Amino acid sequence: MDPKNRGFDVIVIGAGVSGLTCAYELLQKDKSIRLIVVEANDRVGGRTLTEEVSLPDGTKEKFDLGGQWVGQTQHHVMDLLKKFNIETYPQNTKGRKVMVVGKDAKIRTYTNDIPSLGSYFGLIELELFIRKAESLAKKISMENPYASPLAKELDNITLDSYVKNNLRTQSARDVIQAAVRASMGRNSAAVNNHG
């Protein structure tokens, strides 16, 4: 299609996963639709990004640098992955893990699911925060989150502010920040609590 032709039925802004999915679904519904996808970057995929990295031994490996996790409860995403034959593989959770947490930015290692925070208070605070977040999540409908009485309040605060208001220990804050970066591919300051 000639990009100079301005007669489009639909213009999709952004060639990330959502934009590409939108364009694909629209074209599946109506093959005659005049559609263009506009992307500011020099590549498609948005926050999904795999780069080939040279290792010290001279070999090359591919590393996921963007959003790379998908869970079994994300049915729509899993369906798309199957439809396009995109391979998934299990997350390795065994072995020793390394994390930098706390005011002292100390490197800590751990082998279980919960990172070492350097204090029992930090661990207790983290557990209480997770329980509070899970309780809050149960009050919000996945199908219609804006119908929740808490919608306006939660939509007006970033996750970063919520964490700072509800956690006192830096190590617990660091764990939540790491979890947000790993699962959402962005800093908690860029995420509101509502969606």
Side-chain angles (χ1 to χ4, degrees), residues 7-45:
F8 298 109
D9 298 313
V10 177
I11 300 174
V12 177
I13 308 296
V17 173
S18 295
L20 293 173
T21 301
C22 174
Y24 173 80
E25 293 294 334
L26 286 169
L27 288 169
Q28 292 304 300
K29 299 274 188 230
D30 181 356
K31 302 262 191 246
S32 68
I33 196 168
R34 293 174 301 158
L35 181 143
I36 187 169
V37 178
V38 181
E39 173 57 50
N41 292 312
D42 61 355
R43 63 175 189 79
V44 300

mmCIF file of all heavy atoms in Angstrom, residues 7-45:
data_model
loop_
_atom_site.group_PDB
_atom_site.id
_atom_site.type_symbol
_atom_site.label_atom_id
_atom_site.label_comp_id
_atom_site.label_asym_id
_atom_site.label_seq_id
_atom_site.Cartn_x
_atom_site.Cartn_y
_atom_site.Cartn_z
ATOM 1 N N GLY A 7 -5.835 7.601 2.479
ATOM 2 C CA GLY A 7 -7.187 7.070 2.620
ATOM 3 C C GLY A 7 -7.221 5.761 3.388
ATOM 4 O O GLY A 7 -7.548 4.732 2.827
ATOM 5 N N PHE A 8 -6.886 5.790 4.664
ATOM 6 C CA PHE A 8 -6.886 4.581 5.476
ATOM 7 C C PHE A 8 -8.179 4.492 6.287
ATOM 8 O O PHE A 8 -8.715 5.500 6.734
ATOM 9 C CB PHE A 8 -5.694 4.569 6.445
ATOM 10 C CG PHE A 8 -4.374 4.580 5.742
ATOM 11 C CD1 PHE A 8 -3.565 5.699 5.774
ATOM 12 C CD2 PHE A 8 -3.939 3.466 5.035
ATOM 13 C CE1 PHE A 8 -2.353 5.711 5.122
ATOM 14 C CE2 PHE A 8 -2.726 3.469 4.383
ATOM 15 C CZ PHE A 8 -1.926 4.595 4.416
ATOM 16 N N ASP A 9 -8.628 3.273 6.466
ATOM 17 C CA ASP A 9 -9.765 3.041 7.353
ATOM 18 C C ASP A 9 -9.313 3.053 8.811
ATOM 19 O O ASP A 9 -10.034 3.511 9.689
ATOM 20 C CB ASP A 9 -10.412 1.684 7.045
ATOM 21 C CG ASP A 9 -10.970 1.620 5.630
ATOM 22 O OD1 ASP A 9 -11.659 2.573 5.234
ATOM 23 O OD2 ASP A 9 -10.693 0.623 4.937
ATOM 24 N N VAL A 10 -8.102 2.523 9.048
ATOM 25 C CA VAL A 10 -7.568 2.416 10.406
ATOM 26 C C VAL A 10 -6.090 2.744 10.385
ATOM 27 O O VAL A 10 -5.353 2.279 9.507
ATOM 28 C CB VAL A 10 -7.754 0.983 10.972
ATOM 29 C CG1 VAL A 10 -7.125 0.858 12.341
ATOM 30 C CG2 VAL A 10 -9.218 0.593 11.010
ATOM 31 N N ILE A 11 -5.666 3.536 11.356
ATOM 32 C CA ILE A 11 -4.242 3.781 11.575
ATOM 33 C C ILE A 11 -3.921 3.255 12.965
ATOM 34 O O ILE A 11 -4.494 3.711 13.953
ATOM 35 C CB ILE A 11 -3.899 5.285 11.487
ATOM 36 C CG1 ILE A 11 -4.251 5.829 10.106
ATOM 37 C CG2 ILE A 11 -2.415 5.505 11.809
ATOM 38 C CD1 ILE A 11 -4.093 7.332 9.976
ATOM 39 N N VAL A 12 -3.047 2.269 13.032
ATOM 40 C CA VAL A 12 -2.620 1.708 14.317
ATOM 41 C C VAL A 12 -1.319 2.394 14.697
ATOM 42 O O VAL A 12 -0.353 2.375 13.935
ATOM 43 C CB VAL A 12 -2.419 0.177 14.221
ATOM 44 C CG1 VAL A 12 -1.898 -0.373 15.539
ATOM 45 C CG2 VAL A 12 -3.721 -0.514 13.821
ATOM 46 N N ILE A 13 -1.317 3.011 15.870
ATOM 47 C CA ILE A 13 -0.129 3.714 16.347
ATOM 48 C C ILE A 13 0.671 2.772 17.237
ATOM 49 O O ILE A 13 0.212 2.359 18.293
ATOM 50 C CB ILE A 13 -0.506 4.988 17.156
ATOM 51 C CG1 ILE A 13 -1.470 5.879 16.371
ATOM 52 C CG2 ILE A 13 0.749 5.743 17.577
ATOM 53 C CD1 ILE A 13 -0.928 6.461 15.107
ATOM 54 N N GLY A 14 1.854 2.422 16.794
ATOM 55 C CA GLY A 14 2.737 1.567 17.570
ATOM 56 C C GLY A 14 2.753 0.140 17.069
ATOM 57 O O GLY A 14 1.703 -0.490 16.923
ATOM 58 N N ALA A 15 3.962 -0.364 16.783
ATOM 59 C CA ALA A 15 4.117 -1.729 16.277
ATOM 60 C C ALA A 15 4.673 -2.639 17.359
ATOM 61 O O ALA A 15 5.478 -3.523 17.096
ATOM 62 C CB ALA A 15 5.015 -1.736 15.041
ATOM 63 N N GLY A 16 4.225 -2.401 18.594
ATOM 64 C CA GLY A 16 4.532 -3.333 19.671
ATOM 65 C C GLY A 16 3.587 -4.511 19.572
ATOM 66 O O GLY A 16 2.812 -4.636 18.606
ATOM 67 N N VAL A 17 3.625 -5.366 20.546
ATOM 68 C CA VAL A 17 2.783 -6.562 20.514
ATOM 69 C C VAL A 17 1.302 -6.180 20.423
ATOM 70 O O VAL A 17 0.547 -6.762 19.640
ATOM 71 C CB VAL A 17 3.063 -7.461 21.734
ATOM 72 C CG1 VAL A 17 2.081 -8.620 21.792
ATOM 73 C CG2 VAL A 17 4.493 -7.992 21.686
ATOM 74 N N SER A 18 0.881 -5.189 21.190
ATOM 75 C CA SER A 18 -0.537 -4.790 21.164
ATOM 76 C C SER A 18 -0.941 -4.215 19.818
ATOM 77 O O SER A 18 -1.991 -4.560 19.268
ATOM 78 C CB SER A 18 -0.818 -3.762 22.266
ATOM 79 O OG SER A 18 -0.636 -4.330 23.524
ATOM 80 N N GLY A 19 -0.118 -3.339 19.264
ATOM 81 C CA GLY A 19 -0.430 -2.743 17.969
ATOM 82 C C GLY A 19 -0.467 -3.768 16.855
ATOM 83 O O GLY A 19 -1.368 -3.768 16.005
ATOM 84 N N LEU A 20 0.515 -4.664 16.840
ATOM 85 C CA LEU A 20 0.552 -5.703 15.816
ATOM 86 C C LEU A 20 -0.626 -6.666 15.952
ATOM 87 O O LEU A 20 -1.206 -7.099 14.956
ATOM 88 C CB LEU A 20 1.878 -6.461 15.873
ATOM 89 C CG LEU A 20 3.111 -5.643 15.494
ATOM 90 C CD1 LEU A 20 4.383 -6.448 15.744
ATOM 91 C CD2 LEU A 20 3.036 -5.164 14.049
ATOM 92 N N THR A 21 -0.985 -6.987 17.198
ATOM 93 C CA THR A 21 -2.138 -7.861 17.426
ATOM 94 C C THR A 21 -3.417 -7.190 16.946
ATOM 95 O O THR A 21 -4.260 -7.816 16.302
ATOM 96 C CB THR A 21 -2.250 -8.238 18.914
ATOM 97 O OG1 THR A 21 -1.043 -8.890 19.315
ATOM 98 C CG2 THR A 21 -3.433 -9.144 19.177
ATOM 99 N N CYS A 22 -3.543 -5.910 17.246
ATOM 100 C CA CYS A 22 -4.713 -5.148 16.802
ATOM 101 C C CYS A 22 -4.817 -5.187 15.282
ATOM 102 O O CYS A 22 -5.882 -5.494 14.729
ATOM 103 C CB CYS A 22 -4.606 -3.706 17.300
ATOM 104 S SG CYS A 22 -5.886 -2.611 16.673
ATOM 105 N N ALA A 23 -3.723 -4.884 14.593
ATOM 106 C CA ALA A 23 -3.724 -4.879 13.134
ATOM 107 C C ALA A 23 -4.061 -6.272 12.588
ATOM 108 O O ALA A 23 -4.873 -6.407 11.667
ATOM 109 C CB ALA A 23 -2.363 -4.420 12.611
ATOM 110 N N TYR A 24 -3.473 -7.287 13.176
ATOM 111 C CA TYR A 24 -3.721 -8.663 12.730
ATOM 112 C C TYR A 24 -5.201 -9.029 12.891
ATOM 113 O O TYR A 24 -5.822 -9.559 11.976
ATOM 114 C CB TYR A 24 -2.839 -9.628 13.529
ATOM 115 C CG TYR A 24 -3.145 -11.075 13.259
ATOM 116 C CD1 TYR A 24 -2.655 -11.706 12.120
ATOM 117 C CD2 TYR A 24 -3.942 -11.813 14.130
ATOM 118 C CE1 TYR A 24 -2.948 -13.030 11.858
ATOM 119 C CE2 TYR A 24 -4.241 -13.140 13.871
ATOM 120 C CZ TYR A 24 -3.739 -13.748 12.744
ATOM 121 O OH TYR A 24 -4.040 -15.053 12.478
ATOM 122 N N GLU A 25 -5.756 -8.742 14.062
ATOM 123 C CA GLU A 25 -7.158 -9.096 14.327
ATOM 124 C C GLU A 25 -8.106 -8.340 13.392
ATOM 125 O O GLU A 25 -9.088 -8.905 12.909
ATOM 126 C CB GLU A 25 -7.515 -8.829 15.788
ATOM 127 C CG GLU A 25 -6.804 -9.723 16.784
ATOM 128 C CD GLU A 25 -7.210 -11.188 16.682
ATOM 129 O OE1 GLU A 25 -8.343 -11.495 16.228
ATOM 130 O OE2 GLU A 25 -6.390 -12.046 17.044
ATOM 131 N N LEU A 26 -7.819 -7.067 13.155
ATOM 132 C CA LEU A 26 -8.671 -6.301 12.240
ATOM 133 C C LEU A 26 -8.629 -6.886 10.832
ATOM 134 O O LEU A 26 -9.666 -7.019 10.170
ATOM 135 C CB LEU A 26 -8.226 -4.837 12.209
ATOM 136 C CG LEU A 26 -8.586 -4.014 13.443
ATOM 137 C CD1 LEU A 26 -7.864 -2.671 13.415
ATOM 138 C CD2 LEU A 26 -10.097 -3.813 13.528
ATOM 139 N N LEU A 27 -7.439 -7.248 10.368
ATOM 140 C CA LEU A 27 -7.311 -7.823 9.026
ATOM 141 C C LEU A 27 -7.938 -9.214 8.929
ATOM 142 O O LEU A 27 -8.388 -9.621 7.859
ATOM 143 C CB LEU A 27 -5.844 -7.860 8.605
ATOM 144 C CG LEU A 27 -5.247 -6.483 8.287
ATOM 145 C CD1 LEU A 27 -3.738 -6.565 8.136
ATOM 146 C CD2 LEU A 27 -5.891 -5.887 7.042
ATOM 147 N N GLN A 28 -7.975 -9.938 10.050
ATOM 148 C CA GLN A 28 -8.649 -11.241 10.049
ATOM 149 C C GLN A 28 -10.155 -11.066 9.885
ATOM 150 O O GLN A 28 -10.815 -11.886 9.274
ATOM 151 C CB GLN A 28 -8.343 -12.010 11.343
ATOM 152 C CG GLN A 28 -6.897 -12.457 11.470
ATOM 153 C CD GLN A 28 -6.440 -13.291 10.299
ATOM 154 O OE1 GLN A 28 -6.987 -14.346 10.022
ATOM 155 N NE2 GLN A 28 -5.437 -12.808 9.582
ATOM 156 N N LYS A 29 -10.692 -9.984 10.447
ATOM 157 C CA LYS A 29 -12.131 -9.712 10.364
ATOM 158 C C LYS A 29 -12.539 -9.203 8.981
ATOM 159 O O LYS A 29 -13.626 -9.494 8.498
ATOM 160 C CB LYS A 29 -12.543 -8.678 11.419
ATOM 161 C CG LYS A 29 -12.296 -9.106 12.842
ATOM 162 C CD LYS A 29 -13.449 -9.910 13.358
ATOM 163 C CE LYS A 29 -13.274 -10.163 14.834
ATOM 164 N NZ LYS A 29 -13.436 -11.520 15.220
ATOM 165 N N ASP A 30 -11.647 -8.388 8.391
ATOM 166 C CA ASP A 30 -11.989 -7.774 7.099
ATOM 167 C C ASP A 30 -10.707 -7.583 6.293
ATOM 168 O O ASP A 30 -9.947 -6.637 6.518
ATOM 169 C CB ASP A 30 -12.687 -6.437 7.333
ATOM 170 C CG ASP A 30 -13.111 -5.745 6.044
ATOM 171 O OD1 ASP A 30 -12.813 -6.254 4.935
ATOM 172 O OD2 ASP A 30 -13.729 -4.672 6.152
ATOM 173 N N LYS A 31 -10.485 -8.473 5.338
ATOM 174 C CA LYS A 31 -9.257 -8.435 4.525
ATOM 175 C C LYS A 31 -9.177 -7.189 3.639
ATOM 176 O O LYS A 31 -8.103 -6.806 3.194
ATOM 177 C CB LYS A 31 -9.169 -9.687 3.649
ATOM 178 C CG LYS A 31 -9.185 -10.970 4.428
ATOM 179 C CD LYS A 31 -7.807 -11.489 4.637
ATOM 180 C CE LYS A 31 -7.840 -12.895 5.174
ATOM 181 N NZ LYS A 31 -7.333 -13.053 6.482
ATOM 182 N N SER A 32 -10.315 -6.543 3.379
ATOM 183 C CA SER A 32 -10.313 -5.380 2.492
ATOM 184 C C SER A 32 -10.034 -4.068 3.227
ATOM 185 O O SER A 32 -9.944 -3.020 2.587
ATOM 186 C CB SER A 32 -11.652 -5.290 1.756
ATOM 187 O OG SER A 32 -12.685 -4.968 2.685
ATOM 188 N N ILE A 33 -9.923 -4.132 4.527
ATOM 189 C CA ILE A 33 -9.702 -2.911 5.299
ATOM 190 C C ILE A 33 -8.376 -2.261 4.904
ATOM 191 O O ILE A 33 -7.392 -2.942 4.649
ATOM 192 C CB ILE A 33 -9.757 -3.219 6.817
ATOM 193 C CG1 ILE A 33 -9.930 -1.939 7.611
ATOM 194 C CG2 ILE A 33 -8.507 -3.935 7.277
ATOM 195 C CD1 ILE A 33 -10.286 -2.203 9.064
ATOM 196 N N ARG A 34 -8.389 -0.954 4.781
ATOM 197 C CA ARG A 34 -7.165 -0.209 4.464
ATOM 198 C C ARG A 34 -6.541 0.208 5.783
ATOM 199 O O ARG A 34 -7.039 1.091 6.458
ATOM 200 C CB ARG A 34 -7.503 0.990 3.584
ATOM 201 C CG ARG A 34 -7.994 0.537 2.201
ATOM 202 C CD ARG A 34 -8.465 1.679 1.352
ATOM 203 N NE ARG A 34 -9.554 2.354 2.068
ATOM 204 C CZ ARG A 34 -9.939 3.602 1.850
ATOM 205 N NH1 ARG A 34 -9.355 4.319 0.946
ATOM 206 N NH2 ARG A 34 -10.925 4.122 2.541
ATOM 207 N N LEU A 35 -5.450 -0.446 6.128
ATOM 208 C CA LEU A 35 -4.851 -0.310 7.460
ATOM 209 C C LEU A 35 -3.367 -0.018 7.330
ATOM 210 O O LEU A 35 -2.695 -0.559 6.440
ATOM 211 C CB LEU A 35 -5.051 -1.625 8.215
ATOM 212 C CG LEU A 35 -4.524 -1.724 9.633
ATOM 213 C CD1 LEU A 35 -5.482 -2.543 10.470
ATOM 214 C CD2 LEU A 35 -3.147 -2.346 9.665
ATOM 215 N N ILE A 36 -2.876 0.829 8.195
ATOM 216 C CA ILE A 36 -1.439 1.091 8.259
ATOM 217 C C ILE A 36 -1.029 1.069 9.734
ATOM 218 O O ILE A 36 -1.788 1.500 10.611
ATOM 219 C CB ILE A 36 -1.051 2.435 7.597
ATOM 220 C CG1 ILE A 36 0.481 2.587 7.529
ATOM 221 C CG2 ILE A 36 -1.694 3.609 8.316
ATOM 222 C CD1 ILE A 36 0.938 3.747 6.672
ATOM 223 N N VAL A 37 0.159 0.530 9.992
ATOM 224 C CA VAL A 37 0.744 0.534 11.329
ATOM 225 C C VAL A 37 1.888 1.529 11.302
ATOM 226 O O VAL A 37 2.782 1.440 10.455
ATOM 227 C CB VAL A 37 1.257 -0.869 11.729
ATOM 228 C CG1 VAL A 37 1.898 -0.821 13.107
ATOM 229 C CG2 VAL A 37 0.127 -1.893 11.693
ATOM 230 N N VAL A 38 1.877 2.476 12.230
ATOM 231 C CA VAL A 38 2.910 3.503 12.307
ATOM 232 C C VAL A 38 3.753 3.244 13.549
ATOM 233 O O VAL A 38 3.216 3.080 14.650
ATOM 234 C CB VAL A 38 2.273 4.910 12.382
ATOM 235 C CG1 VAL A 38 3.335 5.984 12.438
ATOM 236 C CG2 VAL A 38 1.338 5.137 11.213
ATOM 237 N N GLU A 39 5.065 3.202 13.383
ATOM 238 C CA GLU A 39 5.978 2.922 14.493
ATOM 239 C C GLU A 39 7.104 3.953 14.497
ATOM 240 O O GLU A 39 7.702 4.236 13.459
ATOM 241 C CB GLU A 39 6.559 1.504 14.362
ATOM 242 C CG GLU A 39 7.642 1.164 15.347
ATOM 243 C CD GLU A 39 7.231 1.326 16.806
ATOM 244 O OE1 GLU A 39 6.172 0.801 17.194
ATOM 245 O OE2 GLU A 39 7.973 1.991 17.558
ATOM 246 N N ALA A 40 7.394 4.529 15.664
ATOM 247 C CA ALA A 40 8.435 5.548 15.790
ATOM 248 C C ALA A 40 9.841 4.948 15.779
ATOM 249 O O ALA A 40 10.795 5.602 15.370
ATOM 250 C CB ALA A 40 8.231 6.360 17.073
ATOM 251 N N ASN A 41 9.984 3.714 16.224
ATOM 252 C CA ASN A 41 11.298 3.086 16.277
ATOM 253 C C ASN A 41 11.647 2.451 14.938
ATOM 254 O O ASN A 41 10.805 2.328 14.057
ATOM 255 C CB ASN A 41 11.336 2.016 17.383
ATOM 256 C CG ASN A 41 11.247 2.646 18.757
ATOM 257 O OD1 ASN A 41 11.947 3.589 19.069
ATOM 258 N ND2 ASN A 41 10.348 2.121 19.578
ATOM 259 N N ASP A 42 12.883 2.004 14.823
ATOM 260 C CA ASP A 42 13.332 1.396 13.573
ATOM 261 C C ASP A 42 13.086 -0.112 13.531
ATOM 262 O O ASP A 42 13.634 -0.815 12.690
ATOM 263 C CB ASP A 42 14.814 1.700 13.334
ATOM 264 C CG ASP A 42 15.715 1.154 14.435
ATOM 265 O OD1 ASP A 42 15.194 0.616 15.433
ATOM 266 O OD2 ASP A 42 16.944 1.271 14.300
ATOM 267 N N ARG A 43 12.272 -0.616 14.455
ATOM 268 C CA ARG A 43 11.959 -2.040 14.484
ATOM 269 C C ARG A 43 10.570 -2.220 15.080
ATOM 270 O O ARG A 43 10.062 -1.328 15.748
ATOM 271 C CB ARG A 43 12.983 -2.817 15.308
ATOM 272 C CG ARG A 43 13.001 -2.414 16.765
ATOM 273 C CD ARG A 43 13.930 -3.273 17.611
ATOM 274 N NE ARG A 43 13.740 -2.981 19.010
ATOM 275 C CZ ARG A 43 12.753 -3.447 19.762
ATOM 276 N NH1 ARG A 43 11.855 -4.252 19.256
ATOM 277 N NH2 ARG A 43 12.657 -3.119 21.024
ATOM 278 N N VAL A 44 9.983 -3.380 14.843
ATOM 279 C CA VAL A 44 8.700 -3.707 15.451
ATOM 280 C C VAL A 44 8.946 -4.549 16.694
ATOM 281 O O VAL A 44 10.045 -5.036 16.929
ATOM 282 C CB VAL A 44 7.770 -4.456 14.470
ATOM 283 C CG1 VAL A 44 7.502 -3.615 13.241
ATOM 284 C CG2 VAL A 44 8.353 -5.808 14.099
ATOM 285 N N GLY A 45 7.919 -4.704 17.516
ATOM 286 C CA GLY A 45 8.030 -5.572 18.688
ATOM 287 C C GLY A 45 7.893 -4.849 20.006
ATOM 288 O O GLY A 45 7.688 -5.477 21.040
#
